[in-house]
Amino acid sequence: MAMAEPRRVREPRSARSGGRAKRVTIADVARAADASVSTVSRVLNGIGTVDPVLADRVRLAIEELGYRPSAAAQGLARGRSGSIGVLVPDLANPHFSDLIKTFSASARERGARVVVMDSDEDPGVERELAEELMRYADGLLLASPRMPRQELAALVARGVPLLVANRQEPGLALTSVCVDFYQGLLALCGHLSQLGHRKVAYLAGPQGSWANKERLRALSGARAFGLEVTVLACGSTTDEGYGAGPAVVDSAATAVVAYNDFVALGLLSRLTEMGVRVPGELSLTGFDEIDLARYSSPPLTTVAVPRGGLGRVAGDALARLMAGDEGIESVTLPVELRVRGSSGPI
Amino acid sequence: MAMAEPRRVREPRSARSGGRAKRVTIADVARAADASVSTVSRVLNGIGTVDPVLADRVRLAIEELGYRPSAAAQGLARGRSGSIGVLVPDLANPHFSDLIKTFSASARERGARVVVMDSDEDPGVERELAEELMRYADGLLLASPRMPRQELAALVARGVPLLVANRQEPGLALTSVCVDFYQGLLALCGHLSQLGHRKVAYLAGPQGSWANKERLRALSGARAFGLEVTVLACGSTTDEGYGAGPAVVDSAATAVVAYNDFVALGLLSRLTEMGVRVPGELSLTGFDEIDLARYSSPPLTTVAVPRGGLGRVAGDALARLMAGDEGIESVTLPVELRVRGSSGPI
DNA sequence: CGTCGTCGAGAAAGCGCTCCCTCGGGCCTT
DNA sequence: AAGGCCCGAGGGAGCGCTTTCTCGACGACG
């Protein structure tokens, strides 16, 4: 019969999809170097022993063809993607961009890449984004997750190596890396108390944030210093700090503990406008020590947190988790009080 | 013969690798739903028509098994990863974290994820990182790349959809999205000139940065305003601005144009320390309008750049590029002068 | 001189998914 | 009533790589 042609009729994809430059594959390299695919793979991964001459031929072919292995194919064959997912509440917040910066540097040293997602401060989408990240990554870093405990638990149950930054959830068997907000705020309170302050206003941070909870916990511990604390709802931005000016003045406090440096700087600006002298009439403290804290007038008393440190420690911890190291302990990083001009005696 | 056993002896991977929870695959779902793999795939992707009853059974099975498609396998089969690579010089710089934030939001709307890399202000590694990103991504955004023109060209030649932010390279057939630094600085110069300033000092930004080049270009154009400009090497950080204080005073200029707001704020702090009144003795301007610019004393005259806008426009442009839309035009985004208290009449 | 061990290299089986193609059955047309 | 269509569903060939496993050649050893 004349129709003894093979059953497979469709053209290969490269020909179909309209002449785009077709991908150079490992097979192309093998052909060019007159070697087998396996050999090319071995050269690529430095595995086993390959005759130096052959290896050089392969490397040459790779160079000439401009070959780059497909990440997807490698991922599929190896069973891991070589990527790590990071979920943050707000990429624009320097606290988190610092974290990502050092974390991804650390990941890079281990040969991994970082896929970033931003929940936009919406705890409702965190779960979904985290699950999505799991599809792409071999491990996950959740930075300051605000999601309910139960959802965190569900994520842990997925079996993907998971590390949490700045949140603790006792009884959940999750490894965490945290900044010691509690001790930091305690130090701040001690400092203010020593200066003679008794009535203190606290400009609270975001609802549901562990960082804020820890500060509040320290504040109630601060009764020991003889401080009387008024909590004022505020937030985490400069604008919110600026807006809190009048409320602060009304509170009749002699010192203000702001949620963070942004809030403090915003408030400082408002106070200056209002003609309230700092620290003459009112002492002011921040938290997190952003770069600009030293450069305000007066310079801001604040608490320095290990900025790069968090990312690096997180990188190490997650790497060990991913290596199957089960018993990783949670870490709490120490902070440091920075006394500057914005706080003074009563 | 007794040895008529099949040739394949090795156990499946799941059994080998020590009892880790083995991945749920599409085949498992198909089995559970008593459907074919193709059908599950169709339900998953909403392609073609599937009997509603069957589809529900499939969805149920997916739910019960907690199935999530493997990104690697999808990527390999589809020929695209669904990820977009972004390379920035410094993740900790709010300019870039803002960009990434809006860009990734835009990517997410299109169903794509973002893989981020940070060159740490080292132009030498940009090329390598960009090539690495290409393995993982279907498209690339290079933010303010400092790499030599030639390397940029090589990257373009790779054939991966490429978008550049804040850099132009005439003749290179690359699409770019830029902020109009030139007009911004011109506006600043006009403003200062109008206030009666003649001697102006410019605190220059990073070497090789296009943003800095554009500012310098505007500065030489500013001769038209009758300005005499002294260029002082500086940088892009608050610290560097602070350090430039003495040099600025020595320059005998009556106005200082800082590379950006950080530099300006650092300088402002130093000037305050030195007892130089702003704007009484010296006018000061920044660039980029960071949040804190409004809150310094005096508030900073600066130029507002479209922060989120850049990311969004870049997202759109890259999406079109990736869709095969060849003739995408480069875009230059307008800026806005913000006159505040730090600049005044001579 | 024969045999075992070693080492380098190739063949091929997946990895989990997409998507083209084929097939079967119900419905409409003539 | 017979043929043609259309539509829903399954089969199976890749996608590009890793990783056994197998094989051939060669040197060493008894």
Side-chain angles (χ1 to χ4, degrees):
Chain A
M1 309 194 281
M3 39 169 300
E5 58 181 335
R7 155 191 198 165
R8 186 171 161 289
V9 186
R10 74 175 140 155
E11 307 166 65
R13 178 171 301 185
S14 55
R16 253 182 296 140
S17 57
R20 276 256 188 185
K22 68 160 178 283
R23 185 169 193 114
V24 178
T25 74
I26 198 173
D28 297 326
V29 175
R31 207 170 305 126
D34 194 28
S36 74
V37 168
S38 332
T39 300
V40 177
S41 175
R42 275 184 216 111
V43 171
L44 233 40
N45 298 296
I47 287 174
T49 38
V50 177
D51 186 297
V53 179
L54 220 197
D56 275 343
R57 227 163 58 217
V58 169
R59 273 186 282 268
L60 188 66
I62 288 176
E63 189 65 32
E64 285 186 340
L65 297 176
Y67 167 74
R68 293 264 161 174
S70 142
Q74 284 188 321
L76 186 56
R78 289 180 176 154
R80 61 199 147 70
S81 64
S83 302
I84 298 178
V86 180
L87 180 62
V88 297
D90 180 12
L91 256 167
N93 180 330
H95 185 69
F96 297 117
S97 49
D98 278 353
L99 174 64
I100 293 176
K101 186 181 171 77
T102 49
F103 184 79
S104 77
S106 157
R108 190 171 162 64
E109 285 168 15
R110 300 187 169 79
R113 278 134 300 286
V114 162
V115 183
V116 176
M117 292 200 187
D118 180 330
S119 67
D120 245 328
E121 300 278 5
D122 178 359
V125 302
E126 285 183 357
R127 166 78 180 280
E128 169 66 18
L129 293 181
E131 298 240 21
E132 174 78 5
L133 276 173
M134 284 180 171
R135 301 203 306 127
Y136 285 83
D138 307 326
L140 224 57
L141 172 65
L142 300 182
S144 307
R146 263 78 138 155
M147 75 180 87
R149 173 196 173 90
Q150 185 189 345
E151 300 205 340
L152 255 185
L155 250 28
V156 174
R158 279 257 169 214
V160 175
L162 186 66
L163 184 69
V164 173
N166 283 336
R167 164 138 178 199
Q168 285 172 350
E169 204 62 56
L172 254 197
L174 53 73
T175 315
S176 65
V177 175
C178 300
V179 169
D180 201 341
F181 297 128
Y182 180 80
Q183 287 298 335
L185 207 65
L186 227 44
L188 229 33
C189 289
H191 167 64
L192 291 175
S193 162
Q194 211 172 327
L195 288 172
H197 294 277
R198 287 297 167 262
K199 284 186 65 67
V200 173
Y202 171 61
L203 293 184
Q207 292 280 350
S209 118
W210 181 78
N212 190 46
K213 283 204 194 78
E214 286 291 290
R215 287 163 168 81
L216 287 170
R217 191 163 70 86
L219 245 15
S220 53
R223 302 253 164 80
F225 295 118
L227 297 186
E228 180 190 328
V229 180
T230 311
V231 176
L232 266 33
C234 185
S236 58
T237 66
T238 314
D239 285 346
E240 289 166 312
Y242 182 85
V248 164
V249 172
D250 286 349
S251 76
T254 63
V256 185
V257 174
Y259 175 70
N260 66 21
D261 284 0
F262 288 108
V263 172
L265 258 20
L267 176 61
L268 178 59
S269 169
R270 183 64 167 272
L271 292 175
T272 304
E273 278 181 28
M274 296 170 76
V276 179
R277 286 175 297 111
V278 174
E281 299 171 61
L282 197 58
S283 283
L284 176 59
T285 67
F287 209 107
D288 284 351
E289 196 186 41
I290 63 173
D291 288 344
L292 280 168
R294 305 164 41 198
Y295 296 117
S296 59
S297 18
L300 197 61
T301 293
T302 186
V303 173
V305 304
R307 296 158 70 84
L310 227 202
R312 195 146 295 279
V313 171
D316 289 354
L318 191 50
R320 289 172 55 199
L321 234 38
M322 287 172 32
D325 215 338
E326 292 297 338
I328 308 289
E329 307 231 338
S330 294
V331 188
T332 299
L333 301 175
V335 299
E336 224 171 290
L337 180 64
R338 294 265 195 272
V339 176
R340 301 212 182 89
S342 70
S343 57
I346 191 168
Chain B
M1 313 193 284
M3 40 166 304
E5 57 180 337
R7 154 191 199 165
R8 187 169 159 289
V9 186
R10 75 174 139 154
E11 307 167 65
R13 177 174 302 187
S14 55
R16 253 183 295 140
S17 58
R20 276 259 190 184
K22 67 160 179 288
R23 169 151 216 130
V24 178
T25 75
I26 198 174
D28 297 326
V29 174
R31 208 169 306 125
D34 194 28
S36 75
V37 167
S38 327
T39 300
V40 176
S41 176
R42 273 184 221 114
V43 171
L44 233 40
N45 298 298
I47 287 173
T49 37
V50 178
D51 185 298
V53 179
L54 221 196
D56 276 344
R57 226 162 60 217
V58 168
R59 273 186 282 267
L60 187 66
I62 289 176
E63 189 65 31
E64 284 186 339
L65 297 175
Y67 167 73
R68 293 265 161 173
S70 144
Q74 284 187 322
L76 185 55
R78 290 182 177 152
R80 63 198 145 71
S81 64
S83 303
I84 298 177
V86 179
L87 181 61
V88 297
D90 180 13
L91 255 167
N93 181 329
H95 185 71
F96 297 117
S97 48
D98 278 353
L99 175 64
I100 293 177
K101 186 180 172 76
T102 49
F103 183 80
S104 78
S106 156
R108 188 168 165 63
E109 285 168 15
R110 300 188 169 77
R113 278 133 299 285
V114 160
V115 183
V116 176
M117 290 200 187
D118 179 332
S119 68
D120 246 328
E121 300 278 5
D122 178 0
V125 303
E126 284 183 357
R127 167 80 180 278
E128 169 66 17
L129 293 182
E131 298 241 21
E132 174 77 4
L133 275 173
M134 285 180 171
R135 300 203 308 126
Y136 286 83
D138 308 325
L140 224 57
L141 171 65
L142 300 182
S144 306
R146 264 78 140 156
M147 74 181 86
R149 172 195 173 90
Q150 186 189 346
E151 301 206 338
L152 254 185
L155 250 27
V156 174
R158 279 257 169 212
V160 175
L162 187 65
L163 184 69
V164 173
N166 284 335
R167 166 143 176 194
Q168 285 172 351
E169 204 63 55
L172 253 198
L174 51 74
T175 315
S176 64
V177 175
C178 300
V179 168
D180 201 341
F181 297 128
Y182 181 80
Q183 287 298 335
L185 208 65
L186 227 45
L188 231 32
C189 289
H191 168 64
L192 291 175
S193 162
Q194 211 171 328
L195 288 172
H197 294 278
R198 288 297 167 262
K199 284 186 63 71
V200 173
Y202 171 61
L203 294 183
Q207 293 278 351
S209 119
W210 180 80
N212 190 46
K213 284 204 193 78
E214 286 292 289
R215 286 164 169 80
L216 287 170
R217 190 162 70 85
L219 246 15
S220 53
R223 301 250 166 79
F225 296 116
L227 296 185
E228 180 190 328
V229 180
T230 312
V231 176
L232 267 31
C234 185
S236 57
T237 66
T238 313
D239 285 348
E240 288 165 313
Y242 182 87
V248 164
V249 172
D250 287 350
S251 76
T254 63
V256 185
V257 174
Y259 175 69
N260 65 20
D261 285 0
F262 288 108
V263 173
L265 258 20
L267 176 61
L268 177 59
S269 169
R270 183 62 166 272
L271 292 175
T272 304
E273 277 180 28
M274 296 169 76
V276 178
R277 285 176 298 111
V278 175
E281 299 173 60
L282 198 58
S283 282
L284 176 58
T285 67
F287 209 107
D288 284 351
E289 196 188 39
I290 63 174
D291 289 342
L292 281 168
R294 305 164 40 197
Y295 296 117
S296 61
S297 4
L300 197 61
T301 292
T302 185
V303 173
V305 305
R307 297 158 70 84
L310 228 202
R312 195 146 294 279
V313 170
D316 289 353
L318 191 50
R320 289 173 54 197
L321 233 40
M322 287 172 32
D325 215 338
E326 293 295 339
I328 308 288
E329 306 232 337
S330 294
V331 187
T332 299
L333 300 175
V335 299
E336 224 171 289
L337 180 64
R338 294 265 195 272
V339 176
R340 301 213 181 87
S342 70
S343 57
I346 190 169

Coordinates of all heavy atoms in Angstrom, one line a residue, chain A residues 162 189 280 302:
Chain A
L162 N 8.8 25.1 55.8 CA 8.2 26.4 56.0 C 8.9 27.1 57.2 O 9.2 26.5 58.2 CB 6.7 26.2 56.4 CG 5.9 27.4 56.5 CD1 5.7 28.1 55.2 CD2 4.5 27.0 57.0
C189 N 11.3 51.4 77.5 CA 10.5 51.8 78.7 C 11.5 52.0 79.9 O 11.3 53.0 80.6 CB 9.5 50.7 79.1 SG 8.2 50.5 78.0
G280 N 12.1 68.7 74.9 CA 11.8 69.6 76.0 C 10.4 69.3 76.6 O 10.3 69.0 77.8
T302 N 15.8 55.2 69.4 CA 15.1 54.1 68.8 C 15.7 52.8 69.2 O 16.6 52.8 70.0 CB 15.0 54.3 67.2 OG1 14.2 53.3 66.7 CG2 16.4 54.2 66.6

